[in-house]
Amino acid sequence: MAGQFEAVPGGGAAVALDEIEVSILRSLAVQLLELIGPGDEPAADADPLAALFAEGPSEPPSDPALARLFPDAYGGPDAKGDDAGLRDASAEFRRFTENDLRGRKRADALAVVRTLDSLAVAGEDGAVLKLSPDESRSWLGALNDLRLTIGTRLEVSDDDGDELYHLPDEDPRKPMVMAYLWLGALQETLVGTLLP
């Protein structure tokens, strides 16, 4: 089980993590929470009906990683044809969906932090993290968001697959590439536990 998720009876997943892996995952999840930020959400005491129809931002984020997490719904940066119409449609869609999407991404990252905080790691041997089916889905969302963010920062493209595995140790991207690949392996094995 070391380093990969396995299905557990009754649903959910489990993975053995050592103290360093827990620390890295927690740090990455906290950084993701900071990147996503609080968003433009209505106050907790606001009218529930008004909160349901609260408008979010209409402009795409300027940070490339956030733009990857919250992409335009129509067209995108390479859109052809009626660019103004696509931009207007994307702005309208973003205005009514981004707050909810931002909230879900925050909830997923927070679930990672909370489950890791509840894990008692005993020395170098580590511990086994057991996730319920709901926690597994939250972890899957957070792992995906982390990989998208790191991949954007590394400017990963489809053509980079082999190059990432052969970076020299002195390359400053190496630690982030290692995290990117490790998160991909975790994500892949977690998906395997959720399939029927």
Side-chain angles (χ1 to χ4, degrees):
M1 177 187 304
Q4 63 182 12
F5 279 98
E6 293 182 5
V8 294
V15 63
L17 298 170
D18 65 29
E19 189 174 356
I20 293 171
E21 292 169 328
V22 169
S23 176
I24 290 169
L25 283 167
R26 189 181 190 291
S27 174
L28 289 172
V30 167
Q31 290 176 54
L32 181 62
L33 283 166
E34 291 170 357
L35 176 68
I36 292 170
D40 297 327
E41 294 183 354
D45 59 348
D47 175 13
L49 186 58
L52 183 63
F53 293 104
E55 294 184 10
S58 60
E59 293 296 318
S62 59
D63 181 315
L66 284 174
R68 185 71 175 107
L69 292 175
F70 305 105
D72 279 335
Y74 305 101
D78 300 325
K80 294 180 177 39
D82 182 16
D83 286 342
L86 291 175
R87 279 193 303 274
D88 290 346
S90 287
E92 190 73 5
F93 186 81
R94 179 180 303 281
R95 202 162 49 105
F96 292 108
T97 61
E98 187 171 312
N99 284 343
D100 287 341
L101 183 58
R102 192 174 289 268
R104 192 186 84 230
K105 290 180 180 301
R106 261 195 314 277
D108 289 347
L110 194 54
V112 170
V113 172
R114 287 182 175 149
T115 54
L116 291 172
D117 285 350
S118 69
L119 187 63
V121 179
E124 292 178 15
D125 294 338
V128 175
L129 175 68
K130 293 181 182 172
L131 302 174
S132 70
D134 286 340
E135 290 169 333
S136 294
R137 285 186 286 280
S138 291
W139 266 71
L140 190 57
L143 289 172
N144 186 61
D145 291 342
L146 286 168
R147 288 194 75 239
L148 286 173
T149 301
I150 293 170
T152 301
R153 295 287 191 240
L154 291 170
E155 299 178 355
V156 172
S157 71
D158 290 338
D159 301 330
D160 294 334
D162 219 24
E163 177 190 331
L164 293 178
Y165 289 99
H166 302 293
L167 285 178
D169 289 341
E170 59 275 1
D171 190 310
R173 299 174 299 164
K174 182 86 177 214
M176 289 307 291
V177 167
M178 297 301 291
Y180 177 78
L181 296 172
W182 176 54
L183 292 170
L186 285 175
Q187 183 181 18
E188 182 179 351
T189 60
L190 183 55
V191 166
T193 70
L194 298 174
L195 296 175

